[in-house]
């Protein structure tokens, strides 16, 4: 099971064995949020505090081992606002991603109609 926690001070990504929960390993270094597994379990992705999508190689046999996380690319996602939501997902092959991206367009005007009930009678 992969999760993020501030149990060591800063928010980091951890994995725990399942179902016993006995073995715990820290995956991130320097912070991490929103972990997502590749479908085959061989890689774990997460967001760094610097808005980067990170990937750590994972092996489970003969024993659990996690590689050093590598930066894949910078995202437009703000990890501080995505702490409790999954805002991206990974294609089963681990090479393509889908993300909710903020829209930085010019704000649209808001029209306020006063006395709108009088318009209903016409």
């Amino acid at each position: 099971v992969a999760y993020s926690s501030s149990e060591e001070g800063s928010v980091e990504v951890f994995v725990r064995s399942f179902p016993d929960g006995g073995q715990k390993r820290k995956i991130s270094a320097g912070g991490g949020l929103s972990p997502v597994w590749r479908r085959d379990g061989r890689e774990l992705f997460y967001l760094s505090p610097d808005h980067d999508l990170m990937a750590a190689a994972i092996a489970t046999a003969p024993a659990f081992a996690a590689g050093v996380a590598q930066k894949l690319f910078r995202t437009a996602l703000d990890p501080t606002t995505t702490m409790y939501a999954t805002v991206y997902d990974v294609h089963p092959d681990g090479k393509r991603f889908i993300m909710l991206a903020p829209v930085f367009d010019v704000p649209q005007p808001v029209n306020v109609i006063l006395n709108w009930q009088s318009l209903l009678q016409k």
Side-chain angles (χ1 to χ4, degrees), residues 11-64:
V11 179
E12 300 285 352
V13 173
F14 297 89
V15 295
R16 272 196 187 266
S17 57
F18 181 82
D20 66 352
Q23 188 179 31
K24 176 179 88 170
R25 296 283 179 92
K26 184 170 141 182
I27 303 299
S28 61
L33 292 163
S34 301
V36 174
W37 288 101
R38 190 168 86 180
R39 183 175 286 179
D40 63 8
R42 294 183 184 166
E43 209 166 13
L44 183 64
F45 303 94
Y46 66 90
L47 294 172
S48 77
D50 295 330
H51 306 248
D52 297 328
L53 186 69
M54 306 294 288
I58 304 292
T60 56
F64 180 87

Side-chain angles (χ1 to χ4, degrees), residues 34-100:
S34 301
V36 174
W37 288 101
R38 190 168 86 180
R39 183 175 286 179
D40 63 8
R42 294 183 184 166
E43 209 166 13
L44 183 64
F45 303 94
Y46 66 90
L47 294 172
S48 77
D50 295 330
H51 306 248
D52 297 328
L53 186 69
M54 306 294 288
I58 304 292
T60 56
F64 180 87
V68 176
Q70 302 293 318
K71 174 183 172 180
L72 296 180
F73 56 87
R74 180 152 314 247
T75 73
L77 302 173
D78 181 357
T80 60
T81 61
T82 62
M83 185 174 216
Y84 302 108
T86 302
V87 293
Y88 72 98
D89 204 359
V90 182
H91 189 270
D93 66 9
K95 298 187 186 311
R96 292 180 282 169
F97 303 86
I98 186 166
M99 299 184 173
L100 295 175

